[in-house]
Every structure is written in C-alpha cells, then in structure tokens.
C-alpha cells in the first residue's frame, strides 16, 4: 500500500475581516472548515468546487503558504502544522506549486532560463546539474532549448504553463499543488496540458493535489476526488466510485453542468437557485440547504457529518 505524502486532519483556516465600524472587532471569514484528507504517493487527488469554496486556500494550507487556524498537516509523516519559515525552508524543494495564471507567475522582464536557474540557486542546486535538469525538462514538456532565451511576453499561455510545470519539477519535489492550472487556457490547450501532466506523472511518479472547478477535468486526471462547498468537503471517493454514483445534491448539480457529447443521452440540468452563502455568517444547518432542490426541515437546523455511505464513499447529506 502506498505511503501517505500529505495528511490533513480537521484543517481550519479563518481570515479576519474588518467590520467597517470604528471600535468593532473584526468579523471572521471561515475559508476552510475542518477538512481531512490523505494524498498517497503517486496519486493525483482532485479538489473540485465552484469559486469561493475554499479549495485554493486549502492547497496553500497544505503547503504551509498560509498559517493554519486549527487542525494538523503532516508531510511524509512529519507534523509541519506550526513550522516557522526557517523550519519550512528545507522542505520547500519537496513541496511545489503550479499557479493558475502562468503570466503572473513569471517575472515579465526576466528571461526564462534565468528564472529557472534562480529556483536552482535559491535551493543550492549545483549550476551544472541544474542546467542539465532544465534541458531534460524542456525535452519532457516539448519546448526547444532557445525557449530559455525568451521573456514571458514572447510565449503563449500554454507554453508558459508548460514552463511553470517544468519549474515545479526542477527540484524533484515529493508533492505538488496544481491550482487550476488549465482554467486560464483555451480548451484545446487545456487538453494538451492535462495529457502532459498524465505523461509526466508516469515519468516522474508525481504526487499531486489538483484543484479545479470542472468535473470533467478531475474525472479525466484524478485517482481520488473531494467535492468542496463553503469550506467543507461534502463528498469524497475514488474517481470511479464517485462518478458512477453521485450521492450529494451539490455534486449532482455540478455534474449536470457538464455537456454530453452523446445526442442520444440527454442529461437533465440541475439549476441551482440563489448564491453561495456568506463564509462570514455560516448557516446553522447544512451549508447547501438554501440552494438544495431536495432540502428538508432537518437540513436547515442540523449540519450533516461527513460519513461513509459504503465502500469508502464519504458524503455529508441527511438524505443519503
């Protein structure tokens, strides 16, 4: 059985928000509320949900780019929950991130080769070894060597995201968080990047947390999937189990938005009413109750726990 690389237990992240009134205490934004998950070695774990559900914040908490309000995070068995910057620095080369916007993740005035060598220098990778590794990665992501002489504005979004992936792989990390790495790209380029990630996974035995708001993308790429809503996980299972039997009404609504290419199979669209509730004033019962087409009285007063509905398929819903 594969060993865990990342283990999160009841992770909570709150942000203080100014009340807008002089002398009044700041309010609390509940970005992540008690999320637990385990990412095993060689696994791609998908986090899916609409914008504002806390999935990106969760990814940053796992990398300890954000301080954690509550809960624990273990990296390769080591509790890193309360590590400071100096203690985290030796771990940084083993924990990398691929950001959503490739244009914002590179210095617009710095040549690509210089940007990649800078990463190696910060983590004290010998220059010759770094150069060899960079050339090898350029071959792996299908870009020519003269790419190193260019600046970001001379590259397309797809090419820059390939370079961002190469930069993340440069230090041979044990864990990568990919924060919606294809959402800013054209559809045709998205497919190329996803297929590249699958190829690199086989080549480098990648362990990854893949964040997305598209069900079809996580179905194509991930081994495990957790569906987040308003800072909590509402459903979680291995990919095959989850998509064969969608249990939570929110997951069903997300899946209904995926267009079918089969004209003989028309899927009924579930249109959610209303907006995502405030993460400052959380509802008393189920966080999805106000938008759920199957909501009952119990749902408005009691928050459903995340429980096993059978075979490791976790769901937080009173109706299941």
């Amino acid at each position: 059985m594969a060993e865990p690389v990342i283990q999160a237990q009841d992770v909570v992240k709150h942000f203080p928000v100014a009340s807008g009134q002089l002398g009044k205490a700041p309010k609390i934004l509940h970005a992540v509320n008690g999320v637990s998950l385990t990412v095993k070695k060689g696994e791609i774990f998908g986090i899916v949900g609409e914008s504002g559900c806390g999935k990106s914040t969760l990814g940053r908490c796992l990398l300890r780019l954000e301080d954690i309000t509550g809960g624990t995070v273990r990296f390769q068995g080591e509790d890193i929950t309360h590590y400071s910057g100096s203690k985290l620095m030796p771990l940084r080369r083993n924990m990398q991130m691929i950001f959503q916007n490739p244009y914002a993740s590179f210095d617009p005035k710095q040549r690509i080769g210089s940007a990649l060598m800078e990463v190696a220098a910060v983590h004290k990778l010998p220059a010759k070894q770094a150069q060899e590794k960079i050339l090898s990665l350029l071959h792996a992501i299908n870009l020519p060597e003269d790419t190193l002489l260019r600046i970001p504005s001379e590259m397309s979004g797809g090419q820059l995201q390939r370079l961002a992936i190469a930069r993340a792989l440069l230090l041979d990390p044990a864990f990568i968080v990919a924060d919606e790495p294809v959402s800013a790209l054209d559809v045709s380029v998205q497919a190329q990047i996803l297929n590249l990630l699958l190829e690199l996974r086989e080549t480098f035995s990648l362990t990854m947390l893949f964040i997305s708001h598209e069900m079809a993308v996580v179905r194509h790429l991930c081994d495990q999937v957790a569906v987040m809503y308003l800072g909590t996980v509402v459903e979680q299972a291995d990919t095959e189990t989850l998509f064969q039997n969608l249990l939570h009404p929110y997951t069903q609504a997300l899946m209904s938005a995926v267009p079918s290419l089969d004209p003989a199979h028309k899927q009924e669209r579930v249109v959610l009413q209303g907006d995502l509730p405030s993460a400052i004033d959380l509802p008393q019962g189920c966080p999805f109750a106000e938008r759920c087409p199957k909501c009952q009285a119990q749902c408005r007063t009691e928050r459903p726990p995340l429980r096993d509905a059978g075979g490791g398929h976790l769901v937080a819903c009173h109706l299941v």
Side-chain angles (χ1 to χ4, degrees):
M1 187 175 180
E3 62 185 38
V5 175
I6 282 283
Q7 294 170 286
Q9 184 66 40
D10 297 323
V11 171
V12 174
K13 177 59 183 175
H14 294 164
F15 293 100
V17 179
S19 64
Q21 296 183 17
L22 190 63
K24 242 191 172 180
K27 296 182 178 181
I28 300 298
L29 187 148
H30 305 81
V32 179
N33 298 305
V35 173
S36 300
L37 57 85
T38 298
V39 184
K40 298 175 183 176
K41 187 174 182 180
E43 180 178 75
I44 299 181
F45 194 111
I47 301 287
V48 65
E50 61 191 312
S51 298
C53 71
K55 54 190 186 295
S56 294
T57 302
L58 174 63
R60 294 176 67 87
C61 286
L62 296 183
L63 292 181
R64 285 302 326 281
L65 296 175
E66 296 281 358
D67 289 333
I68 299 168
T69 307
T72 59
V73 174
R74 291 183 177 274
F75 174 65
Q76 295 181 325
E78 183 178 357
D79 189 344
I80 63 170
T81 309
H82 302 294
Y83 275 18
S84 63
S86 59
K87 272 194 169 183
L88 283 171
M89 189 60 187
L91 299 177
R92 288 298 180 206
R93 67 180 297 158
N94 275 327
M95 306 165 70
Q96 293 291 311
M97 190 164 189
I98 302 169
F99 295 94
Q100 179 177 357
N101 185 351
Y103 288 102
S105 65
F106 283 92
D107 185 336
K109 297 182 179 179
Q110 187 177 27
R111 295 189 186 276
I112 298 299
S114 174
L116 296 178
M117 286 299 295
E118 184 177 42
V119 174
V122 167
H123 293 279
K124 298 179 172 55
L125 191 67
K128 185 177 180 181
Q129 182 182 344
Q131 290 168 354
E132 292 174 355
K133 180 74 174 178
I134 289 169
L135 292 177
S136 172
L137 286 170
L138 282 178
H139 177 73
I141 63 173
N142 301 314
L143 288 179
E145 292 184 16
D146 64 3
T147 299
L148 301 177
L149 303 176
R150 300 183 182 182
I151 58 175
S153 61
E154 297 174 328
M155 313 293 292
S156 68
Q159 290 172 325
L160 270 184
Q161 198 60 295
R162 286 172 182 267
L163 289 165
I165 293 169
R167 179 176 58 188
L169 293 173
L170 180 57
L171 301 170
D172 294 317
F175 179 60
I176 296 174
V177 171
D179 187 8
E180 300 196 42
V182 298
S183 63
L185 307 175
D186 293 338
V187 175
S188 59
V189 180
Q190 287 184 18
Q192 295 173 15
I193 298 298
L194 292 174
N195 289 330
L196 174 64
L197 286 173
L198 287 173
E199 293 171 11
L200 294 175
R201 175 197 185 173
E202 297 300 321
T203 304
F204 297 99
S205 300
L206 297 183
T207 302
M208 183 184 300
L209 185 82
F210 186 88
I211 298 169
S212 179
H213 58 261
E214 298 184 34
M215 294 291 282
V217 170
V218 295
R219 186 176 192 175
H220 175 69
L221 191 71
C222 302
D223 304 297
Q224 295 274 337
V225 177
V227 182
M228 283 189 70
Y229 185 83
L230 202 63
T232 64
V233 172
V234 296
E235 188 167 1
Q236 179 180 324
D238 66 83
T239 305
E240 184 178 355
T241 299
L242 183 83
F243 284 93
Q244 283 183 351
N245 185 24
L246 305 173
L247 296 178
H248 198 281
Y250 178 61
T251 312
Q252 295 166 3
L254 287 179
M255 194 61 198
S256 76
V258 178
S260 173
L261 299 179
D262 183 1
H265 176 67
K266 291 186 177 180
Q267 183 168 303
E268 183 180 352
R269 177 72 190 275
V270 179
V271 180
L272 298 178
Q273 303 298 322
D275 298 320
L276 193 71
S278 169
I280 296 176
D281 299 313
L282 292 176
Q284 179 182 358
C286 174
F288 187 58
E290 292 298 325
R291 304 175 71 192
C292 181
K294 303 175 183 178
C295 179
Q296 298 181 1
Q298 182 187 17
C299 303
R300 299 183 186 278
T301 57
E302 298 179 25
R303 181 175 287 260
L306 186 67
R307 58 185 177 82
D308 194 335
H313 192 157
L314 307 180
V315 62
C317 181
H318 292 303
L319 307 180
V320 176

